[in-house]
């Protein structure tokens, strides 16, 4: 089976990325990068990804779309926004952590996470380490951020972490990040990374992609 064809089927099956579902238009701008950090924080908890998406969208709607806006909300307002977005089980701790993250973003980077990328000096490992200084962002959260941010931070490419490579293995795709990255246009690498993670978590999706790519293969 042609690997490019299988990747095309996979990306089409996955559709929009988590960030897009949350209403985040990924761009190298302060507001969008902050919103992506919030989403990465929420998705780090043991909770369904769709709830992290609705929780993030609710926070942005409540005024937390920037670090300054997040700090203008008090703890109860952040908690209420999370609950309104169905992010209930971890609302207390997350409301606290988001305030801490916003303060760190303001104090260390002037509210602009592009300065974090500059501080990392083009090193993906350093970028992930700096991200993990934010409360609630561990290795999984940093990986989630980098999977999406590679769309606008080329120095992160290919951001294909262990979870994405698990999805590739289940789909019979190359397990080497460089080989996987070569199967798509660089501008679409974040979509491939997101789709592979979904495949790692959803056996039914793997079955559909394998079936569809086989049916579409030339005889």
């Amino acid at each position: 089976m042609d690997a490019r064809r299988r990747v095309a089927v996979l990306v089409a099956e996955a559709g929009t990325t988590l960030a897009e579902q949350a209403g985040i238009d990924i761009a190298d701008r302060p507001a969008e990068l902050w919103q992506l950090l919030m989403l990465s924080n929420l998705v780090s908890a043991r909770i369904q990804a769709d709830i992290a998406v609705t929780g993030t969208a609710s926070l942005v709607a409540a005024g937390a779309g920037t670090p300054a806006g997040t700090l203008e909300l008090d703890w109860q307002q952040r908690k209420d926004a999370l609950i309104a977005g169905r992010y209930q089980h971890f609302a207390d701790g997350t409301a606290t952590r988001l305030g801490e993250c916003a303060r760190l973003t303001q104090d260390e980077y002037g509210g602009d996470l592009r300065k974090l990328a500059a501080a990392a000096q083009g090193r993906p490992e350093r970028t992930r380490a700096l991200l993990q200084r934010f409360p609630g962002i561990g290795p999984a959260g940093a990986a989630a951020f980098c999977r999406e941010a590679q769309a606008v931070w080329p120095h992160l490419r290919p951001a294909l972490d262990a979870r994405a490579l698990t999805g590739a293995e289940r789909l019979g795709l190359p397990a080497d990040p460089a080989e996987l990255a070569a199967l798509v246009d660089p501008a679409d690498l974040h979509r491939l990374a997101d789709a592979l993670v979904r495949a790692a978590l959803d056996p039914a999706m793997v079955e559909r992609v394998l079936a569809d790519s086989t049916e579409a293969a030339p005889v």
Side-chain angles (χ1 to χ4, degrees):
M1 172 58 55
D2 178 69
R4 287 184 181 274
R5 174 61 194 170
R6 184 160 295 173
V7 162
V9 172
L10 168 67
V11 172
E13 172 71 25
T16 54
T17 69
L18 287 183
E20 290 170 334
Q21 289 180 34
I24 303 170
D25 180 17
I26 295 297
D28 195 23
R29 295 190 295 258
E32 286 81 356
L33 293 170
W34 165 251
Q35 292 164 23
L36 178 57
L37 186 72
M38 284 201 305
L39 174 61
S40 301
N41 204 308
L42 268 61
V43 84
S44 296
R46 293 183 179 277
I47 201 163
Q48 293 178 347
D50 65 323
I51 295 178
V53 164
T54 55
T56 301
S58 181
L59 283 162
V60 173
T66 64
T70 303
L71 291 172
E72 288 175 3
L73 302 177
D74 62 26
W75 178 85
Q76 186 63 53
Q77 289 172 316
R78 293 194 295 268
K79 177 182 175 181
D80 289 346
L82 287 163
I83 292 174
R86 301 190 297 130
Y87 199 93
Q88 299 175 348
H89 296 297
F90 302 100
D92 286 9
T94 301
T96 298
R97 287 191 294 274
L98 290 177
E100 294 169 346
C101 288
R103 175 53 58 197
L104 178 59
T105 303
Q106 290 289 78
D107 291 348
E108 294 290 326
Y109 305 111
D112 186 350
L113 289 173
R114 292 177 298 185
K115 295 180 181 179
L116 182 150
Q121 298 180 322
R123 293 177 291 171
E125 300 84 358
R126 180 62 177 158
T127 303
R128 290 191 290 269
L130 290 173
L131 287 167
Q132 289 179 63
R133 294 182 59 228
F134 289 94
I137 300 288
F145 182 95
C146 291
R147 284 195 298 268
E148 297 267 14
Q150 68 184 320
V152 292
W153 288 359
H155 77 273
L156 293 174
R157 300 172 187 162
L160 295 164
D161 54 276
R163 185 170 288 182
L165 295 180
T166 296
E169 180 182 3
R170 293 179 179 175
L171 287 162
L173 293 168
D176 177 75
E179 290 184 41
L180 270 175
L183 298 174
V184 294
D185 186 281
D188 292 326
L189 190 51
H190 67 297
R191 298 188 182 281
L192 172 60
D194 181 90
L196 287 170
V197 169
R198 296 193 197 195
L201 299 173
D202 186 354
M205 179 180 179
V206 171
E207 292 180 5
R208 290 194 301 272
V209 171
L210 292 176
D212 289 349
S213 57
T214 298
E215 291 173 2
V219 179

